[in-house]
Amino acid sequence: MSSQEQEHLNGAGFETRAIHAGYDPDPTTGAVNPPIYATSTYKQDGVGGLRGGYEYSRSANPTRTALEGALAAVEGGTHGFAFASGLAAEDTLIRSLMKPGDHLVIPDDAYGGTFRLVDKVVAVWGVEHSPAAVHDVAAVAEAVRPGQTRVVWAETPTNPLLNVADIAGLAEIAHAVGALLVVDNTFASPYLQQPLELGADVVVHSTTKYVGGHSDVVGGALVVKDAELAERIAFHQNAMGAVAGPFDAFLTHRGLKTLAVRMERHCDNAERIADFLTSHPAVGEVIYPGLETHPGHATAARQMRRFGGMVSFRVTAGREAALRVCERARVFTLGESLGGVESLVEHPGLMTHASVAGTDLEVPDDLVRLSVGLESVEDLIADLEQALG
């Protein structure tokens, strides 16, 4: 879909862009949703004469094009890229931006999969990294290496400790040494937070999570504003080939259209659950940016629309008690993902963050992470009450 054909969306609200960006009703049939173009190959109008720019579905597919246009629109970018997974997006981005001998800063409580990619895959390639508390601008300033640091990588809120990074502050630090700021916006979603508007250069998503929203598709995304950077990413996306398939792109695009209404309910439920846990005697600490006691609350209030659907807490009685909470939950499903309509519970130390065990990024063993879904909040609270019992 050309930019000219989508000009009517300029200045439109988030919900309108999420529903209409990337695709106009089919001129022949009037179909309001993009078809699933289940094709690898396209007939060319003569040698080198591409019809609509399509030649092979690794390079481009109309269903993926619609999703990528919508992703760019909701993130306030100009170019979106859809991948087979969040880690495929991250790997492609790192290899687009970095070369052996370069350095990047990562969160000291990064998602375990990101840490594994950087520490076990990218490091072998010759890229160096340093963990830093990305919620502390001074710590990041100390970690960057002028002339060597090419990327400052932030999650905000972080996974699973829900630390909040000052995006504008980190952008200033990164740009001062000639580096780019990459923000993993998975936990917040484009509805709650707009990193590009705050100075970030690249936004990363695991679209498996809130964007897709229904635990039925795996995907990833990158969104940028800069045309030269977009060209580099597009080259590597095609050269490396870890693209979203047409059916995955269709499901992800469908999920994006309801993101705004889903996030409002996620936030409503998470706020109620955080309040409940705060007063429970078995809980030693509740970690949720919406609580005024959270050290990043003021920053989150400044750069987020609301505070999200993720809640972490530490169980007073320790590791075994935390494991019992995970095992006894019934409405909360024991599972490693997040951002779906159903509520999930997990023990990060043994599940999503097992890859950081024994490192500086190791998470507390009494920590429980909740992805708060869209169920009746009374049922969710009752389930936690019995699980903590």
Side-chain angles (χ1 to χ4, degrees):
M1 186 57 52
S2 70
S3 58
Q4 291 80 11
E5 292 171 302
Q6 293 272 299
E7 281 182 359
H8 63 284
L9 295 176
N10 289 344
F14 182 93
E15 294 86 346
T16 304
R17 284 178 283 133
I19 292 169
H20 294 288
Y23 179 77
D24 277 338
D26 182 81
T28 302
T29 67
V32 297
N33 283 316
I36 301 171
Y37 283 89
T39 184
S40 62
T41 308
Y42 305 82
K43 181 183 184 298
Q44 298 191 15
D45 296 328
V47 177
L50 306 187
R51 188 176 301 183
Y54 296 100
E55 59 179 335
Y56 185 62
S57 274
R58 172 172 40 79
S59 302
N61 176 284
T63 313
R64 193 174 91 226
T65 298
L67 169 62
E68 291 175 335
L71 288 167
V74 297
E75 276 289 3
T78 55
H79 298 81
F81 303 89
F83 295 85
S85 70
L87 282 171
E90 293 186 7
D91 187 36
T92 302
L93 178 63
I94 289 172
R95 295 178 194 276
S96 301
L97 301 179
M98 308 192 76
K99 64 183 184 302
D102 287 345
H103 172 257
L104 80 157
V105 177
I106 62 170
D108 65 356
D109 60 339
Y111 164 54
T114 300
F115 174 77
R116 182 177 56 230
L117 173 65
V118 170
D119 188 62
K120 300 295 190 292
V121 179
V122 178
V124 175
W125 188 44
V127 171
E128 301 175 22
H129 66 276
S130 301
V134 294
H135 56 283
D136 182 348
V137 172
V140 175
E142 186 175 346
V144 297
R145 303 174 186 175
Q148 187 184 8
T149 301
R150 298 287 175 259
V151 171
V152 173
W153 192 289
E155 299 171 11
T156 185
T158 60
N159 180 7
L161 295 178
L162 301 177
N163 285 307
V164 175
D166 178 349
I167 296 173
L170 292 184
E172 185 175 345
I173 295 297
H175 297 160
V177 297
L180 298 180
L181 175 62
V182 175
V183 174
D184 185 334
N185 203 29
T186 298
F187 268 31
S189 86
Y191 178 67
L192 297 182
Q193 185 168 262
Q194 300 273 290
L196 295 177
E197 289 186 3
L198 296 168
D201 300 286
V202 186
V203 171
V204 178
H205 281 282
S206 170
T207 56
T208 309
K209 312 306 192 297
Y210 286 110
V211 172
H214 293 79
S215 302
D216 56 6
V217 61
V218 173
L222 303 173
V223 180
V224 301
K225 279 186 174 180
D226 182 77
E228 182 180 351
L229 180 55
E231 186 175 348
R232 291 166 63 184
I233 293 171
F235 172 83
H236 282 81
Q237 181 190 42
N238 182 49
M240 296 173 68
V243 297
F247 186 56
D248 291 349
F250 173 85
L251 288 175
T252 303
H253 195 181
R254 183 180 68 170
L256 180 63
K257 294 182 180 187
T258 62
L259 178 63
V261 291
R262 287 188 287 107
M263 290 309 301
E264 288 290 343
R265 181 60 175 266
H266 284 299
C267 293
D268 287 345
N269 284 357
E271 290 169 8
R272 288 278 304 278
I273 285 171
D275 287 342
F276 161 75
L277 291 171
T278 298
S279 61
H280 199 286
V283 176
E285 179 185 9
V286 181
I287 308 170
Y288 183 63
L291 296 174
E292 293 186 2
T293 54
H294 188 288
H297 175 74
T299 302
R302 184 172 66 249
Q303 67 188 24
M304 296 176 71
R305 187 192 302 252
R306 293 186 67 181
F307 300 103
M310 301 300 297
V311 179
S312 294
F313 64 95
R314 300 182 69 173
V315 181
T316 306
R319 176 180 182 271
E320 295 306 314
L323 292 175
R324 283 195 298 274
V325 170
C326 295
E327 292 165 355
R328 293 178 60 177
R330 292 295 176 265
V331 182
F332 281 87
T333 300
L334 182 63
E336 288 199 347
S337 192
L338 61 102
V341 295
E342 66 289 307
S343 294
L344 301 177
V345 61
E346 67 127 0
H347 184 272
L350 294 179
M351 296 173 68
T352 52
H353 289 68
S355 62
V356 301
T359 75
D360 292 340
L361 280 72
E362 185 170 9
V363 299
D365 64 4
D366 58 0
L367 187 74
V368 175
R369 190 192 76 180
L370 304 177
S371 173
V372 181
L374 310 185
E375 300 95 339
S376 163
V377 71
E378 287 77 15
D379 293 336
L380 294 174
I381 290 173
D383 190 40
L384 289 172
E385 182 73 73
Q386 66 83 24
L388 286 161

